[in-house]
Amino acid sequence: MASVNQFAYVPGTSTYKFAYGGSIPNMPVVNMPADTNWLRWAMLNDGEYYRMYFFKGSSANTLYQAAFNPASGAYEFGYNSIKELQITGAPADADASSLAMLYDSGTKTYRLYLRRLGAPTVLYQFGFNRETSRYEYGYNSIPTLNVAKAPNDTDWHRWSMLFDGSAYRLYAFKVGSVDTFYQFAYNRQTNQYEYGFDSIPVLNLVDIPANSNLTSMAMLFGQGDYRLYFQTL
């Protein structure tokens, strides 16, 4: 059965710890369609539900949505969710091999990000249009964003984003590492994500379960905690 392992940030340190602070250590992901693409996924917390998204098969514009059901202790496909979502207006060079998502509580906008093909420090931003029920490129969003000052060994295949109520944050692993990742934040003065801006530049994971799939990650901010997830092998 598919599931995710949960880590949380230990305040006052540079560490994310497995099952820290009463976090549920592991949560099943159930009822997903047979063509769920488990390699391309993201998560967010909208203040009411923890949500999980996966691309449909090889599609570049269709997502499946699941949400955490406290009664079952599992992420369930379609639970209090639109089961299938469309991404529209993506530039021709948008790279759908991975994605990041967050909930902007300030503007009450669900946001989705794709990188530019061949230029991973360029992000395309989409916003969820409640009238069309689609993620639309540039909707209530700055269409294109840049990431600056990234270390040369940033692993852009393993990245995620979140909004903590004050800062938009981006994270990416260090190439070749299983427990070290970098933190960026959005600088409103320069209109770009900058490595180490208003951030602990280097973060570490501890107590990683052996069954963690370290090839991708998802992050979100929920219940006052910064949280990180790996799928299980």
Side-chain angles (χ1 to χ4, degrees):
M1 178 185 293
S3 66
V4 289
N5 289 331
Q6 182 172 210
F7 298 72
Y9 174 66
V10 181
T13 74
S14 59
T15 298
Y16 278 73
K17 184 179 177 66
F18 175 63
Y20 175 77
S23 299
I24 301 171
N26 178 269
M27 291 161 286
V29 183
V30 300
N31 303 328
M32 297 301 299
D35 62 349
T36 297
N37 190 322
W38 298 96
L39 302 177
R40 300 186 293 154
W41 65 300
M43 296 175 67
L44 60 80
N45 173 44
D46 63 12
E48 187 173 7
Y49 295 104
Y50 289 79
R51 299 187 180 277
M52 185 178 291
Y53 303 84
F54 298 88
F55 270 105
K56 175 180 179 178
S58 59
S59 171
N61 62 5
T62 304
L63 295 174
Y64 291 138
Q65 183 174 199
F68 183 70
N69 183 346
S72 66
Y75 280 87
E76 299 178 3
F77 175 60
Y79 175 74
N80 279 315
S81 303
I82 300 170
K83 292 183 177 181
E84 193 168 305
L85 296 159
Q86 299 297 313
I87 302 169
T88 62
D93 60 354
D95 182 359
S97 65
S98 63
L99 79 161
M101 299 179 71
L102 57 82
Y103 180 70
D104 183 343
S105 56
T107 63
K108 300 188 184 303
T109 303
Y110 295 84
R111 301 189 182 280
L112 181 150
Y113 302 84
L114 299 176
R115 302 168 303 169
R116 177 179 291 171
L117 190 65
T121 58
V122 179
L123 303 176
Y124 293 133
Q125 185 172 207
F126 302 73
F128 182 67
N129 186 337
R130 297 173 190 271
E131 293 184 2
T132 64
S133 295
R134 294 176 175 176
Y135 279 88
E136 300 175 2
Y137 176 57
Y139 177 77
N140 199 25
S141 305
I142 301 171
T144 303
L145 296 161
N146 293 296
V147 184
K149 305 178 183 179
N152 291 331
D153 60 353
T154 302
D155 185 350
W156 294 110
H157 299 288
R158 296 185 292 165
W159 66 295
S160 189
M161 298 174 71
L162 58 80
F163 179 62
D164 63 13
S166 61
Y168 300 88
R169 300 187 180 278
L170 183 150
Y171 304 83
F173 265 89
K174 177 179 180 179
V175 169
S177 177
V178 299
D179 59 6
T180 301
F181 60 109
Y182 299 134
Q183 184 172 201
F184 304 71
Y186 182 67
N187 184 339
R188 289 174 171 84
Q189 293 186 338
T190 62
N191 290 326
Q192 61 187 11
Y193 282 85
E194 297 177 4
Y195 172 62
F197 176 76
D198 195 26
S199 302
I200 300 169
V202 181
L203 296 161
N204 296 283
L205 297 172
V206 298
D207 299 340
I208 303 172
N211 69 342
S212 298
N213 184 342
L214 306 176
T215 61
S216 63
M217 67 166 171
M219 298 186 70
L220 54 77
F221 185 76
Q223 295 175 301
D225 289 317
Y226 296 86
R227 302 179 184 275
L228 181 149
Y229 303 84
F230 288 132
Q231 291 182 43
T232 53
L233 295 167

